[in-house]
Amino acid sequence: MKDIRILTGKPIIPPPDTVTALFAGTHTALDVSGITELYDRLLPKLKLHTLPKAALCIQERKNILHSDHYNPDALLLCAMLTIGSSIQRLIDRYGADGDPLAASLLNAMADSCLFAWEEQLHSAMLTLCREKNCGILRRLELPSDLPMHTQKAVFEALDADRTLGLSLTEGYMLSPEKSMSLIFELDELAPKKVPRHDCGKCRHPRCGFHSSVNLQIEQIRTDGTHTSPRTISCKKGSRLFDVLQEHRIPVSADCGGAGTCGKCGVTVRSGSVGVSPEDKLIFSEAELNQGMRLACSIRLEDDLSVLIPQAEETAFQILKGRTSYVPLAEQARYAPGSYGIAIDIGTTTIAFALLDLHTGICAASHTAINSCRAFGTDVIRRIQASNEGKKDQLQKTIQKDLLRGIDALLNQCPAQTIRLQKIVIAANTVMLHLLRGYSCEGFCRYPFSPVTLEREVLSFTEAFGASFDAGTPDVILLPGISAFVGADITAGLSTLSTRARNGSCLFLDLGTNGELALFDNHRLFTASTAAGPVFEGGNIRWGTGSIPGAIANVSIGEEGPSVCTVADMPPIGICGTGVIETVSELLSAEIIDKTGKLKEAYFEKGYPLANTMSGKTILFTQRDIREVQMAKAAIRAGIEILLLTAGISCDKIEQVFLAGGFGYYLNIPKAASVGILPKKLVSKTTAAGNTSLTGALFYLAKQTDAVLSELAADAVDVPLAADKHFQELYLSHMEFEKIT
Ligand code: FES
C-alpha cells in the first residue's frame, strides 16, 4: 500500500510582482506598463478556471532512479502538482481569438499560480520529511540533474493518472501543461526547508525568475593538490560562508561567520568580488591583490570560482584517553561480552572509550572532531546559532558525530559479540543542550537558566535519533553544576582522589571556556571565566588547532626565534601552547614590556616567528598579545576570587590539576611566567589529561552516581561577572609580571 498524500487547494491569487517578472521576460517594457488593468480583468476568470491539486510521497531512490547506484536506500521526496486543464483551454482560446497579450498575461498568471501552489505545499512536504526524520538536501531538476524519463517513475509512484487526472506524453511531458513534478533528495542532517527552484538549471532563457549564480569550488588537500572542481548553483546574494556550511564543505571559522577571526579565507580565482572592511583588516595589500577574501564577507552576486584551503578540522591531533584499565566495582561488573562506552563531548573534539564491563579493560578508543565547530569555535556562537533557528541542525550534527564515533569504536572491538549495556556522556552544559535539542535561550542572560542540569537516562533512540542493534543500552548524561560549569567538570572532579577532594586543591580546565574549581576543607567552589579560545589557538591572527605544522614550542635567542611544530611539519600557524610559549619568550627577551606593548620595530606588523612553505611570515601581533592578556587576566582573577570566597590564600593549595589537552601539553613554568598561574603553584601543578572522559569511564566502572550527585549538589558556583572584586583583579592581572 503506497503512502500517497493528496492535497487540494483553494483558488490562488497570483502575486502581481511574480506575474510581472514572468511576463516581463517575454515582453517589452511598453507591454508591461499596461498590464495592471488587464490583470484585474483576467483575475476572476483565472480563479474560475484553476483547481490546485497535488500528490506527495517519499520513495527510496532505487524505486525512482532504477539504474542509479548511488546509495539506493536514500530517500527522495516526490511531488506532482497541477492547477488543472481548464486554464490551458482558456489561454488557448484567447490566443485563437486574436488576443495574444491577454493569452500571454493569463499564461504568466497561471504559471505564477502554479509556483504559488508549490510554495503552499512546503509545509506538507516538511511534515512528510519530519515523519522520516529527514531534511531536504537538494532539489533535483529535470532534465539538468536527472533524465526526463525519471518523470515516468515519479508519475507511477504517485499514481498521478488516478490521483491527479494527469497524463504523460511520449516525451515524458505532463499534461495538462500547467502541472509540474518535484524531486528532492533527503538526508538526516539536511536543513528543514524546501530549496527553491534553481534558476541556473532552467532552460527558459528569458524567464524573469533567473536569480541564481554558479559557484565553482576547489579544495586544497593536505598534500597541496587540489580536488576536482565542483559547481554549486546558489541563490544570488547568498553569503559564500553559508553556502559552504549548507553543503558541508569544511571551512575554518572561529567566529562562526562574524568576520572577526580571519580564519575563513578563500582565494577568488575568477569572478569579481569587492573588498570588504573586514577583508582589509585581515589581509595585506598583496594578499588582497592575489584574490584573498573572507568567505563570510562574500556575497554571491555573479558566477564565482574559489579555492578553499584545508580546514583545520580535518587534521586535528587529539589527546586520547590515557586510561587502559579501570577497576570495576562489584555492582558494576557484568557478564563476559558486556561493554560500556564513555564519551567526552568537548567543544572542539570528542573522545570515546570502550570499557569491557567484565574485566575493566579499555578495549578501544576513538577521537573525532566536533563538527559543531562549523557553527563557531566557542559555545557562545553555538548558542547564538541555536537561538537563530539552527537548533535542529546542531542537534543532528552532534548526533551524527556520536553515531559515527560509536560505530568506529565498536568496529575496533575484538569481541565477536557485543552487548552494550551503557553509554555515559560527559560534556559542558551547552553541548548537552545541543545534543538534546533543548532551547539555548536560557544561556543568554544572567541569571542563566539552562533547561536542566540533572542527570538524564535515555534510550539510544531518544539520545541519538537512531536505532541500535547490539543491545538496548541506557544512555546516561552526567549532571552539571551550572550553565557554564558542566558535566565535563563534574566528571573531572569525580576522578580526583578523596584525599585531594578533602584537602585544598585547584582544578583548572583551560579550554575554550576557563572552568575553575577549588576544594577546601570539604567545600567546593566553582566558576567559569570567559577566557576565550586563545588557549586553543582561537582569536589569534595565525592561530590554529593542534594540527601538524602548528608551532607548539618557541624559544627566542640572540639569533632570533626558533620553533618546533606538531609532527615536525613545516609551520602553518600557532597552536595554544605555542601562543603561551611565544608570549613567555617575548617577555623574557624584553621584546614586550610589562604592559604587553611590543617593541616599536614589531608594533605595527607583529613579531615574525617563522615562514610557511609558501613564504608567508607567521607573525605574532600586538592584538594577539592583548588576547592572551585578557585570557590570562580572566583566569587569574577567577582563581583569586575562588580563593577569596573560600577565605584561604594560595599557600594553602596543596595541588593544582590542569585538565584537558591544552593543560597536557603546556609548559607549566612558561604558563606561570605569562601569569596564567601564580608562580608559587608551579611545583604543585600536574597535567591531568582528559579528566572528563576518565570521569565518564569511572561512572561506568564504579557507578559514581553518589559522588557526582554530591559534587553537583554541594558545589557553590561563584558568578564572577557579578563579583565586585572581579573587575579590579582582572585589570590588575592584565599586566605581565617581571620574568625572573
Ligand atoms: S568565519 Fe569569517 S572571519 Fe571568522
Side-chain angles (χ1 to χ4, degrees), residues 241 253 255 257 259-262 264 294 296:
F241 180 81
C255 69
T260 53
C261 71
C264 65
L294 295 173
C296 64

Side-chain angles (χ1 to χ4, degrees), residues 52-69:
K53 260 185 119 180
L56 319 174
C57 74
I58 289 189
Q59 285 285 325
E60 284 176 353
R61 194 175 171 110
K62 60 183 172 230
N63 296 336
I64 301 294
L65 308 169
H66 309 291
S67 57
D68 175 328
H69 297 298

Side-chain angles (χ1 to χ4, degrees), residues 437-456:
Y438 291 150
S439 161
C440 286
E441 296 286 345
F443 291 99
C444 296
R445 234 159 281 108
Y446 182 79
F448 306 111
S449 51
V451 173
T452 182
L453 292 166
E454 300 290 315
R455 185 187 77 132
E456 288 191 77

Side-chain angles (χ1 to χ4, degrees), residues 233-252:
S233 179
C234 26
K235 197 163 178 262
K236 204 171 186 162
S238 27
R239 199 167 64 136
L240 175 60
F241 180 81
D242 298 326
V243 173
L244 297 176
Q245 214 176 48
E246 221 164 89
H247 289 264
R248 293 194 227 139
I249 297 167
V251 57
S252 298

